[in-house]
Amino acid sequence: MPFIIAIDGPAASGKGTIARALSSHFGFHHLDTGLLYRATGAKGGDPVLAAQGLCADDLASPDLRSAEAGQAASRIAAIPQVRAALVEFQHRFAAQEPGAVLDGRDIGTVICPHAQVKLYVVASDRVRAERRAAELGADPAEMLAQLQERDRRDSERATAPLRPADDAVVLDTSTLSVQQAIEQAIQAVAKAR
């Protein structure tokens, strides 16, 4: 049975960086599930048909990391039919040997509730806005407003809202260096293994 690490949390909390590091450290496959929603939103047209027709090549587009793609992803992620179309893709990915690291918003609560390790990565709103603004070359105040709106939408949606799994380890990266956050995550996984 593959070892599954589920990492959830709001945008710019550090979950993607931690997921990539864990994948590399343990030799597991990695999927940024947000790219599925970003790619679906970026395709335009009927989001359900876009989700059903999504392929691996769609995840390679460099503009999927833009703020616009993130907002589109958050909007279409609230559509139950879109979510259903992408769940099977995620389940197949998680079943790969020797293991998989999936990061997103509902991995530990919906996609892989049986994951051996569940991390919920958070950081203060201010820190997240500064990180994302630096990444995108954007205004931190504008980024703060966008992140808070996205957090509200993701947390209040009826289908698979953003929240920690009951058995998730909460990792607050607000005052941690990247290396410190990665080390704490590695320790949590090593303890479970």
Side-chain angles (χ1 to χ4, degrees):
M1 180 176 190
F3 193 92
I4 300 171
I5 302 171
I7 304 178
D8 294 306
S13 59
K15 67 184 178 296
T17 299
I18 291 169
R20 287 186 297 278
L22 290 176
S23 170
S24 176
H25 182 84
F26 291 103
F28 292 166
H29 305 278
H30 171 246
L31 177 63
D32 173 352
T33 64
L35 286 180
L36 300 174
Y37 294 92
R38 287 170 176 262
T40 299
K43 286 180 99 170
D46 181 332
V48 176
L49 292 176
Q52 291 169 341
L54 199 65
C55 67
D57 290 345
D58 295 326
L59 306 180
S61 176
D63 49 331
L64 294 182
R65 297 286 177 195
S66 70
E68 295 79 19
Q71 291 296 327
S74 180
R75 284 190 296 275
I76 62 118
I79 302 170
Q81 297 89 337
V82 168
R83 300 192 74 78
L86 297 176
V87 164
E88 186 57 37
F89 183 101
Q90 294 170 79
H91 284 168
R92 283 193 311 273
F93 189 91
Q96 296 180 91
E97 293 287 352
V101 181
L102 289 82
D103 69 270
R105 300 280 193 283
D106 64 350
I107 307 306
T109 56
V110 176
I111 303 300
C112 298
H114 59 287
Q116 290 89 337
V117 174
K118 298 174 193 164
L119 298 176
Y120 191 79
V121 182
V122 297
S124 72
D125 288 357
R126 181 188 55 77
V127 167
R128 292 186 308 119
E130 289 171 0
R131 287 176 184 166
R132 188 52 54 89
E135 178 185 337
L136 299 176
D139 174 57
E142 183 179 312
M143 194 54 55
L144 177 63
Q146 287 181 14
L147 286 174
Q148 288 174 332
E149 169 60 21
R150 185 171 173 193
D151 290 348
R152 184 197 59 72
R153 190 169 49 239
D154 290 349
S155 298
E156 294 177 358
R157 65 183 179 219
T159 303
L162 170 65
R163 66 175 178 80
D166 292 339
D167 55 347
V169 173
V170 177
L171 177 57
D172 188 335
T173 65
S174 299
T175 60
L176 300 177
S177 69
V178 171
Q179 195 54 44
Q180 288 171 325
I182 290 169
E183 286 301 321
Q184 286 190 22
I186 288 172
Q187 288 172 12
V189 174
K191 183 177 178 182
R193 291 185 85 192

